[in-house]
Amino acid sequence: MKRIITILILASLSSAVRAQITISEADFLSLGTRGGTDFSSTDTTGVRALENLSGVAATWDFGGRAYTQSETAGTDLLPYPSGAALANDPDFTSATNVIKLVASDGTITWDFLKLDATGLWILGASQDSLGNQSKVLAYQPPLQQFAFPLTYGTTWQSSSSVVSPMLPPGATITQSSHARVDGYGTLIAGGVSSQTLRLREKDIMSTSASFGGFTFTQTDTTYNFSWITKGAYSASISADSALRPQGVSYSVASANSAVNQGAVLDDPLTLRLSINPASNTETQLSYSMKDAGPVEVALMDYLGRNVRMVVDGWAQAGQNIIPIDPKTLEPGTYFIHLMANGMNATQKLVITR
């Protein structure tokens, strides 16, 4: 009976750590201007299970596959106009921010966005290729990508006509998006654990064109699953119309920016392990305290039994780091439980050989 009670207590503590969060337009703007590094993979093994996992207090682990770094650390959201090509186009003048993307051939694409309390709206894009500036597309009306405040249960729909000078005469494109925040819990990506919201988005693109008296129509449906945190950490899975995974990616905060500190303060007591799973190399447990105070850090096995008391003392305000030597532990699954300033946090640790 005591063992069962212990497991139930541990489960309740874990659920408390994975409480839902709310992301406002100010939060999103802050995240977009902090910068980070993106990683992607075409290995979709096990991704279907992540797609199917929704609801409350869930855990999504993006480890266990090979990733390729797709972009270097940088700032995503720039203030409008930031020298964007054709920034004075009537379709783009209501933008508040732009995203600058540089291709390997030097072509620069500018995405125009409107960010306000109602959500994030996509206005369109322009290009600068070898000094030649051109309009790529515009959404009329703007297409809504997020709805604020973003929290569990938020839903939105948006539909727009796509206008582009690159479309042949008589061709029309309509794009619609149906989205819902269908889960919250813990995102594990890049060795970092963060509280997260899970978004499920269904995009439908309808194309119509007329040639020689014949009308051609085509409808393409795609899905995207996104995980958004308050600490510049995120992940996504793309899928086709049959919900077959096509790719997986995640983004982590830039190591040389102030993101890590801000992320911890936004998400109090979220535990982070530098290496997990760990084998023979020391892993570092980090956490942040808004105020100095007493701290207890205990290591438990998967049945909730105490293995050792890691820390029983005083922690300073700000970031704290505790080294853990995996060579002193038997292989298996453990839980690190931290209590400080009336708050609790639990992090899973896996030891392998």
Side-chain angles (χ1 to χ4, degrees):
M1 178 63 72
K2 181 178 179 181
R3 178 180 299 176
I4 294 175
I5 293 175
T6 303
I7 295 174
L8 290 175
I9 292 175
L10 183 62
S12 67
L13 293 174
S14 178
S15 296
V17 168
R18 295 178 290 186
Q20 71 164 301
I21 59 176
T22 297
I23 296 177
S24 67
E25 75 280 7
D27 293 328
F28 193 87
L29 178 62
S30 176
L31 297 177
T33 56
R34 288 176 178 176
T37 305
D38 295 336
F39 298 85
S40 61
S41 176
T42 56
D43 177 10
T44 57
T45 304
V47 170
R48 177 59 61 84
L50 296 182
E51 286 181 4
N52 294 337
L53 190 61
S54 61
V56 302
T59 297
W60 298 274
D61 191 342
F62 278 71
R65 58 179 48 82
Y67 288 93
T68 300
Q69 182 173 328
S70 55
E71 293 184 15
T72 56
T75 299
D76 292 323
L77 288 174
L78 300 172
Y80 171 86
S82 294
L86 305 183
N88 60 347
D89 186 282
D91 286 323
F92 304 148
T93 53
S94 62
T96 59
N97 298 89
V98 293
I99 296 178
K100 180 182 180 180
L101 302 172
V102 183
S104 58
D105 62 358
T107 298
I108 302 175
T109 300
W110 299 88
D111 290 332
F112 295 87
L113 308 174
K114 179 182 178 182
L115 183 64
D116 60 24
T118 64
L120 180 68
W121 303 81
I122 309 174
L123 304 184
S126 66
Q127 276 188 351
D128 187 332
S129 180
L130 300 177
N132 297 317
Q133 298 184 354
S134 60
K135 186 176 181 179
V136 178
L137 60 84
Y139 291 97
Q140 298 177 350
L143 190 68
Q144 187 172 23
Q145 188 174 28
F146 295 116
F148 299 119
L150 202 62
T151 190
Y152 180 60
T154 303
T155 62
W156 67 93
Q157 296 183 22
S158 182
S159 183
S160 174
S161 296
V162 181
V163 179
S164 173
M166 294 183 291
L167 288 176
T172 60
I173 295 179
T174 301
Q175 183 169 337
S176 60
S177 175
H178 306 261
R180 174 181 175 81
V181 182
D182 67 351
Y184 68 83
T186 300
L187 168 67
I188 302 175
V192 175
S193 173
S194 301
Q195 293 180 20
T196 187
L197 294 173
R198 206 280 283 270
L199 284 67
R200 182 182 189 272
E201 182 179 3
K202 178 181 179 180
D203 292 318
I204 303 173
M205 181 173 288
S206 299
T207 304
S208 177
S210 297
F211 302 97
F214 295 95
T215 300
F216 167 80
T217 59
Q218 178 176 322
T219 300
D220 297 305
T221 301
T222 56
Y223 291 85
N224 193 69
F225 299 83
S226 303
W227 288 259
I228 300 178
T229 76
K230 297 188 74 170
Y233 299 92
S234 61
S236 66
I237 298 171
S238 59
D240 63 13
S241 58
L243 283 172
R244 291 184 294 255
Q246 302 297 298
V248 56
S249 63
Y250 70 88
S251 177
V252 297
S254 173
N256 59 357
S257 73
V259 178
N260 290 330
Q261 178 184 359
V264 173
L265 293 178
D266 282 340
D267 197 5
L269 292 187
T270 293
L271 307 186
R272 291 169 170 82
L273 289 165
S274 59
I275 300 175
N276 191 23
S279 179
N280 295 313
T281 304
E282 177 184 276
T283 182
Q284 293 184 333
L285 174 72
S286 64
Y287 64 96
S288 183
M289 301 270 288
K290 288 187 176 180
D291 301 297
V295 172
E296 289 186 5
V297 180
L299 187 67
M300 301 179 180
D301 65 15
Y302 72 99
L303 292 176
R305 298 173 299 197
N306 284 322
V307 175
R308 70 177 62 164
M309 181 65 72
V310 181
V311 171
D312 185 4
W314 190 267
Q316 64 181 2
Q319 189 175 40
N320 293 268
I321 297 177
I322 302 171
I324 298 177
D325 185 358
K327 295 191 295 293
T328 63
L329 298 169
E330 294 294 326
T333 300
Y334 298 86
F335 291 93
I336 303 172
H337 180 216
L338 184 147
M339 294 185 293
N341 290 341
M343 294 180 288
N344 298 276
T346 302
Q347 170 68 49
K348 182 172 73 173
L349 168 64
V350 177
I351 303 297
T352 62
R353 290 288 186 268

